[in-house]
Amino acid sequence: MDGICISFLWHMHQPYYKNTFTGEYLLPWTLLHGTKDYYDMGAMLKDFPGMKQNFNFVPSLLEQLVDYEDLDVKDVYLEVFRKHPSDLTEGDKVFLLGNFFNANWENMIRPFPRYYELLAKRGFYCPREGIPKITGYFSEDELRDLQIFFFLAWTDPSFFAAYEGLGYLKDKGRRFSEEDKDILRGIQKDILKGTLPLYKELAAQGIVELSTSAFYHPIIPLLIDSEAAREAMPGVNLPEVPFAWPRDASHQISSGLDFFERIMGVRPAGMWPPEGSVSEGALELYMEQGVRWLATDEDILFESLRWGTRRDERGFVMNPEVLYKPYRYEKNDRDITVIFRDQSLSDLISFHYSRSDAKEAAGDCLGRLRTIRSSVGGKIARPLVMIAMDGENAWESYKNDGRDFLSYLYEGILREDGMTPVTISEYLEASKDRGNLSHCHAGSWIGHNFSIWIGHSEDNSAWSQLARTRRFLEKEDPDKKNRMAWESIYIAEGSDWFWWYGDEHSSDSDEVFDLLFRENLANVYRYLGKEVPDMLSIPIITEDRAARPVREPVNFLGPVIDGRVTNYFEWIGSGFIEGKGHGTAMHEAVSVIKDCYYGFNESNLFLRIDLDKRFMNEMNGAAFEIAIIGKEDEYKIEYHVHDGSVEAAVPVQAVFEEILELSVPFSALGLGPKDKADVWLSLKINEMIIDRMPQRGYLVITVPSETFEAEMWYV
């Protein structure tokens, strides 16, 4: 039987959360994933002999993991955790109640009944401005329980059998003591100290291959020249001050390789470019540093080859022999091998399989691998299917932290004839079949462009500030004598700050990311002994701005306003904006409002709101408030869920059953064709806003003309 090789690449990454000038960590995600994800992902392979994988550790993560090993770092979360409840200030209590429920409620909080009880007491959707009003309702015992449960929930379930202390804490369940904190701290230290030695051991045994990325995870093509964004986005608005420092891009790559070798004891053969971002200029830099292989997304290959149709109606790659092999890129007597991930399989594991039964999800994945094996059989000597994805953030959405799903998947692969797990370098040494890549498209693993990180007004503002500070540093210290000033600019070049600017992603920590970015730039001035520009004290994130929908309306609608999806077609062609909600720093936001569909016909505006109904029965006093600002007037429509009553100065049809559906005439709003209305919707509980759509700013809706559908047809 013709077979396939399968190579998993787990990308382990965290941005640099430490303010180097103050020495303080402002966000705890390296620590939390350190006790929940990094160790067990590797250790699990010991239970599946023959399973081989690739792990990519970003240097900015490695440095923080080493820093956290003794838990004596200056971390705002740890400082609140260490305090006796009687010593907590009012600000500490607000911080505790506002931040120590940042975990997946269903999979991480609900398994601890007392923790879920405290969440219910705090309120499932408690706005931050409301927290100071409720701190007095929590006893010292409850506050201490919350201190411990947060870190207990962020400990991998597999450790509860391995550590007697964790079993004791889980069984105790409530009314923890200060001594219980010591038990938890000791276990955290043990896990953190054992993580990097584990991966060194697995690498020495050939079970895993270790790779790395540029040091602070920057978008290398944009560091080389921000104009690179135009290849995939010709009409994009770019920053007022362009950024073009190829020397910085080269330094991020070389220093990442050097640091990785110093910490892990081996120089990696390959790298995962941050965010899978590549370009011709980027490949040249990687080749100059002696990197032998890179991995990125399938769309980069298809765009580079200028290949049109890519997948069939079932979602499988057409001409699979094109994707499932490595490619050689050559220039100036150097060459590098590029491997392209199967986007569909990677995204199914990242975002979709968590919603299904673990065994069924693994079975579906195995079935897809069998189909690939059949479709490519005989067309390539040793086909390579690479599954590459974030190795830490997906698992909190899975039951049992993804362990059940991965166990079924690994068992299935190992039992299956014609499926061989491999490390990338092992595969490249044995397989000589290569395609040739004469051109490399400039883009990332998201949409084969850079729109997440550049083009939005917030992104562009941040790039301009980065460019101004970089120019200032070059002028003041061209010989790079002030190491920390230069380190600050390199940290600020990381991709993660730009990830949270714009309206694609939102979390409860947006403001902290904004602050950290601006503080890294301000630290350049501080280390040089110069006055920090006032502009760096002004947040880049703006509240009052138009939100970009995922799609605009393309035809007239005629939905039945009954609070249900009456049929599949009634909202086809509508505009769509995705709910972002309030969430944790690097994770899917927790939101009641999931999605908003909007559209119109010649005379009416239609809105549809889809909700997460898991917690709706615990939300007494819920009301929707829709704000519409027209040419001259502002209108508010309030719909009360409990009795279906509507308060409005304009005629409105509104019904909530499974979803909220609403219709209001344009004429009642004083709006005519081509007029614009700014719209946003809030979900309130007892007059407190607990979610909003869009999360920041407003949605701009243009009233259609009678010829709207004909106009859209020609577009």
Side-chain angles (χ1 to χ4, degrees):
M1 176 186 290
D2 293 320
I4 56 173
C5 295
I6 301 171
S7 196
F8 288 89
L9 191 155
W10 305 114
H11 177 55
M12 305 301 202
H13 157 59
Q14 292 294 333
Y16 203 68
Y17 298 116
K18 187 178 185 178
N19 183 330
T20 61
F21 198 79
T22 64
E24 182 177 46
Y25 282 94
L26 298 187
L27 289 169
W29 304 113
T30 299
L31 166 61
L32 300 181
H33 284 291
T35 55
K36 193 180 80 69
D37 297 301
Y38 300 132
Y39 185 97
D40 72 290
M41 283 292 290
M44 190 176 179
L45 298 180
K46 293 185 175 183
D47 297 333
F48 298 94
M51 200 69 201
K52 295 184 177 183
Q53 296 187 343
N54 306 269
F55 286 85
N56 190 83
F57 282 92
V58 178
S60 59
L61 165 62
L62 288 176
E63 185 170 312
Q64 293 175 93
L65 277 176
V66 172
D67 214 8
Y68 268 105
E69 282 183 349
D70 290 317
L71 287 183
D72 56 1
V73 297
K74 188 178 181 183
D75 177 303
V76 293
Y77 284 75
L78 285 177
E79 288 177 5
V80 171
F81 168 75
R82 292 172 186 136
K83 285 188 177 182
H84 190 286
S86 63
D87 295 328
L88 292 171
T89 66
E90 189 63 21
D92 291 334
K93 294 176 184 178
V94 170
F95 185 88
L96 193 65
L97 293 169
N99 293 285
F100 275 48
F101 293 106
N102 279 346
N104 185 290
W105 294 351
E106 193 65 25
N107 298 327
M108 297 171 68
I109 294 182
R110 196 185 281 272
F112 301 95
R114 171 67 158 175
Y115 197 11
Y116 194 77
E117 175 188 315
L118 293 172
L119 173 61
K121 181 171 181 175
R122 194 282 310 260
F124 291 103
Y125 298 95
C126 182
R128 289 192 176 272
E129 61 270 20
I131 292 176
K133 302 174 184 177
I134 63 173
T135 57
Y137 293 99
F138 287 82
S139 67
E140 288 187 7
D141 278 347
E142 289 173 321
L143 293 172
R144 185 186 290 108
D145 286 356
L146 179 55
Q147 288 173 316
I148 286 181
F149 273 125
F150 178 60
F151 291 102
L152 202 59
W154 279 96
T155 305
D156 187 83
S158 65
F159 291 129
F160 283 79
Y163 288 95
E164 184 179 340
L166 289 177
Y168 156 77
L169 292 174
K170 186 173 184 180
D171 290 342
K172 186 174 184 180
R174 63 179 61 226
R175 295 190 178 89
F176 295 119
S177 67
E178 292 298 303
E179 290 72 26
D180 292 335
K181 288 183 182 178
D182 294 333
I183 293 173
L184 184 55
R185 269 195 299 258
I187 294 169
Q188 287 176 314
K189 286 182 184 180
D190 196 58
I191 295 169
L192 293 166
K193 280 182 176 291
T195 298
L196 298 187
L198 168 70
Y199 282 94
K200 293 177 185 178
E201 173 194 341
L202 294 172
Q205 295 171 354
I207 296 172
V208 307
E209 178 177 358
L210 301 176
S211 59
T212 194
S213 300
F215 204 111
Y216 291 109
H217 206 261
I219 306 295
I220 292 294
L222 297 182
L223 292 195
I224 296 171
D225 190 345
S226 53
E227 283 286 329
R230 292 200 188 279
E231 179 174 339
M233 305 182 295
V236 67
N237 291 320
L238 290 180
E240 176 187 352
V241 184
F243 193 96
W245 293 96
R247 279 184 295 154
D248 289 16
S250 181
H251 174 80
Q252 293 268 10
I253 295 170
S254 62
S255 62
L257 288 165
D258 292 344
F259 183 82
F260 184 93
E261 184 176 15
R262 187 163 71 251
I263 296 298
M264 302 303 287
V266 61
R267 196 166 186 85
M271 300 185 84
W272 171 263
E275 306 296 355
S277 295
V278 291
S279 65
E280 301 233 325
L283 291 190
E284 289 186 51
L285 292 184
Y286 286 110
M287 288 190 292
E288 287 174 10
Q289 297 298 331
V291 177
R292 297 203 291 276
W293 63 258
L294 292 179
T296 184
D297 185 67
E298 66 177 48
D299 278 348
I300 299 296
L301 173 64
F302 300 147
E303 292 294 322
S304 299
L305 299 177
R306 295 177 172 84
W307 195 37
T309 304
R310 300 159 185 180
R311 289 182 178 267
D312 62 23
E313 66 279 359
R314 299 178 301 154
F316 291 99
V317 175
M318 300 172 70
N319 302 106
E321 69 276 8
V322 174
L323 174 60
Y324 300 118
K325 66 181 178 183
Y327 282 75
R328 179 182 288 109
Y329 177 87
E330 298 180 81
K331 193 165 186 179
N332 299 328
D333 297 324
R334 293 190 177 100
D335 69 89
I336 192 168
T337 299
V338 187
I339 304 116
F340 301 92
R341 73 169 187 154
D342 184 299
Q343 184 185 102
S344 177
L345 286 174
S346 304
D347 285 352
L348 282 168
I349 297 174
S350 295
F351 308 116
H352 301 289
Y353 282 150
S354 60
R355 303 169 189 168
S356 305
D357 172 78
K359 191 170 186 177
E360 291 177 0
D364 181 82
C365 190
L366 288 165
R368 291 171 185 272
L369 287 169
R370 292 186 194 105
T371 300
I372 292 169
R373 182 184 61 195
S374 299
S375 68
V376 78
K379 298 178 181 178
I380 309 175
R382 290 187 82 217
L384 176 66
V385 180
M386 184 177 70
I387 298 170
M389 55 175 277
D390 187 300
E392 57 211 349
N393 290 324
W395 311 120
E396 63 207 66
S397 297
Y398 281 78
K399 298 290 185 185
N400 199 27
D401 206 43
R403 192 175 187 85
D404 300 336
F405 165 76
L406 291 174
S407 295
Y408 287 125
L409 181 59
Y410 295 169
E411 286 171 0
I413 289 172
L414 293 170
R415 282 199 310 263
E416 192 81 20
D417 290 333
M419 290 188 190
T420 306
V422 294
T423 66
I424 291 174
S425 287
E426 172 190 22
Y427 172 85
L428 294 177
E429 288 173 10
S431 176
K432 305 304 178 185
D433 190 2
R434 302 281 192 281
N436 290 311
L437 203 64
S438 59
H439 165 72
C440 180
H441 174 79
S444 74
W445 68 348
I446 302 177
H448 56 271
N449 60 42
F450 303 114
S451 64
I452 298 292
W453 302 276
I454 199 166
H456 189 280
S457 59
E458 289 180 0
D459 292 320
N460 290 348
S461 176
W463 277 104
S464 291
Q465 293 201 26
L466 177 65
R468 291 188 188 100
T469 307
R470 178 62 179 82
R471 289 180 183 179
F472 173 81
L473 179 56
E474 183 74 20
K475 178 182 176 182
E476 293 292 321
D477 187 24
D479 298 325
K480 298 191 175 183
K481 294 179 179 179
N482 194 316
R483 187 180 70 84
M484 291 310 298
W486 282 93
E487 209 63 31
S488 297
I489 205 75
Y490 296 143
I491 295 170
E493 290 172 349
S495 69
D496 296 273
W497 322 119
F498 303 94
W499 177 273
W500 297 107
Y501 291 132
D503 48 21
E504 298 94 346
H505 302 104
S506 183
S507 77
D508 270 354
S509 300
D510 287 1
E511 289 76 14
V512 181
F513 277 91
D514 185 14
L515 173 65
L516 271 168
F517 173 74
R518 291 181 290 107
E519 280 293 286
N520 284 317
L521 296 182
N523 287 343
V524 172
Y525 294 87
R526 294 181 181 122
Y527 283 121
L528 292 171
K530 303 294 184 179
E531 185 176 351
V532 178
D534 289 340
M535 65 182 297
L536 294 180
S537 66
I538 301 171
I540 293 172
I541 289 177
T542 57
E543 295 294 330
D544 184 22
R545 56 108 188 276
R548 285 188 299 187
V550 174
R551 65 171 182 261
E552 300 276 3
V554 295
N555 54 250
F556 285 145
L557 304 180
V560 177
I561 306 301
D562 59 1
R564 302 178 184 278
V565 182
T566 307
N567 65 70
Y568 172 74
F569 298 100
E570 65 176 349
W571 288 94
I572 290 292
S574 66
F576 174 73
I577 185 167
E578 184 179 13
K580 303 298 181 182
H582 296 283
T584 60
M586 300 300 292
H587 314 283
E588 180 183 355
V590 175
S591 60
V592 185
I593 300 175
K594 287 301 185 185
D595 302 304
C596 172
Y597 298 81
Y598 69 96
F600 34 66
N601 56 23
E602 299 93 326
S603 54
N604 295 290
L605 169 66
F606 302 112
L607 294 174
R608 164 185 160 184
I609 303 298
D610 290 7
L611 303 169
D612 182 345
K613 300 194 69 175
R614 288 177 298 172
F615 302 100
M616 285 299 289
N617 61 344
E618 294 153 332
M619 292 166 50
N620 296 322
F624 294 96
E625 183 178 272
I626 299 94
I628 304 173
I629 300 179
K631 286 192 304 183
E632 300 175 358
D633 296 309
E634 177 177 342
Y635 301 88
K636 285 195 175 178
I637 300 166
E638 193 158 292
Y639 178 92
H640 297 276
V641 173
H642 72 283
D643 62 2
S645 63
V646 178
E647 296 179 34
V650 292
V652 175
Q653 275 188 285
V655 179
F656 173 73
E657 289 291 340
E658 296 174 353
I659 58 177
L660 174 69
E661 291 183 304
L662 178 146
S663 170
V664 57
F666 285 123
S667 59
L669 301 171
L671 297 172
K674 303 297 185 181
D675 288 341
K676 295 183 184 296
D678 299 337
V679 180
W680 66 93
L681 178 144
S682 302
L683 178 58
K684 301 161 67 176
I685 302 290
N686 298 324
E687 296 304 312
M688 291 195 301
I689 295 175
I690 55 112
D691 208 352
R692 190 182 191 275
M693 174 69 78
Q695 190 61 46
R696 300 199 301 268
Y698 47 84
L699 182 65
V700 178
I701 297 176
T702 302
V703 180
S705 66
E706 293 181 358
T707 59
F708 170 77
E709 287 190 302
E711 293 168 10
M712 296 308 295
W713 174 264
Y714 287 110
V715 170

